[in-house]
Amino acid sequence: MKRLLAGLTLVAALAPVVASQTVNVGVQGVFADYRELGPALSYNGGGLSGMAEVNWHKFSGDFQIAKINFNPSSGSSATDKFTSTQFDAHLRWFLASGISLETGYTKRSISPAFTTQDFTAIRAGVRANYGLGPGANLLLRGNYLAGAKFSGGGTAPFALELGLGLSVGAGNGRWRITGDYEFQRIDRKTTVKVPIQQAMARVGAAVGLGR
């Protein structure tokens, strides 16, 4: 989380420089479920996440860092606890009618090592942003996760990420309550099929800077 705090501090310091643009920072609580379907490993846990977002003309971007403590689920064959640190970056180019092309990067690091799979991939897809009313927005996103790499080896010919988000707040963007849900399905293959699924729900708040 030290990197997150340093990043949020940098965004806050730069906010006056980009005052004509939209800059947001926020903190969220995270609830997550992680499964490796081949060996029937199942975990659930919780933690904290931070985000920073910048919008500039037709371009926008954000990064998020989440640290989650996982415990074996009831009935799972898993026995070890682990901590997941996940970094996500999204870069977007606005097309029209709330639709944007999206690319980015995701990295999940596991401690202790090899408890489950470290994972990295490049994302590519689309995001839709719908205004529901003054200060209320609905977000939908879908991404293909390309070039997947795992600490235990293997490939993923098919890897998909779906997301849903909702934010409600002041019409001028000074503050907002945020909530989002993200689901990843990664069809990892080694000598056998060992699919991975992760679902994360985040709830928190964000503030606008430099307005």
Side-chain angles (χ1 to χ4, degrees):
M1 299 303 286
K2 291 182 179 179
R3 293 182 182 179
L4 169 62
L5 294 175
L8 297 183
T9 301
L10 177 61
V11 171
L14 292 177
V17 179
V18 292
S20 61
Q21 312 309 321
T22 304
V23 181
N24 300 292
V25 296
V27 177
Q28 296 174 306
V30 184
F31 307 92
D33 178 271
Y34 177 91
R35 300 170 186 265
E36 291 189 10
L37 304 182
L41 302 179
S42 177
Y43 304 83
N44 50 50
L48 289 175
S49 173
M51 62 81 68
E53 178 183 41
V54 177
N55 296 277
W56 183 71
H57 301 295
K58 286 191 173 184
F59 299 93
S60 63
D62 65 75
F63 73 82
Q64 298 173 314
I65 298 179
K67 190 167 186 178
I68 309 167
N69 296 314
F70 281 97
N71 295 294
S73 302
S74 176
S76 169
S77 60
T79 57
D80 298 320
K81 302 178 181 179
F82 71 92
T83 298
S84 171
T85 302
Q86 181 164 319
F87 172 80
D88 290 291
H90 304 87
L91 299 175
R92 293 176 292 274
W93 180 57
F94 177 77
L95 296 178
S97 301
I99 304 298
S100 299
L101 294 178
E102 183 170 74
T103 186
Y105 176 75
T106 183
K107 178 177 182 180
R108 185 159 59 239
S109 301
I110 303 301
S111 179
F114 299 105
T115 309
T116 58
Q117 293 296 314
D118 287 7
F119 169 69
T120 62
I122 302 297
R123 52 169 53 94
V126 296
R127 189 184 84 154
N129 185 355
Y130 299 102
L132 301 179
N137 288 277
L138 175 68
L139 298 177
L140 300 170
R141 64 159 40 104
N143 285 294
Y144 176 72
L145 301 176
K149 295 182 179 180
F150 308 91
S151 55
T155 61
F158 178 79
L160 180 68
E161 175 185 77
L162 300 174
L164 170 67
L166 178 66
S167 65
V168 179
N172 62 5
R174 284 285 186 181
W175 62 270
R176 56 194 172 103
I177 304 300
T178 63
D180 60 79
Y181 177 82
E182 176 185 285
F183 175 80
Q184 292 180 346
R185 166 74 185 208
I186 305 157
D187 284 351
R188 178 177 174 240
K189 294 182 180 180
T190 55
T191 54
V192 295
K193 295 182 179 180
V194 280
I196 295 172
Q197 287 185 184
Q198 179 174 273
M200 288 202 304
R202 313 186 204 214
V203 180
V207 296
L209 304 176
R211 298 171 188 268

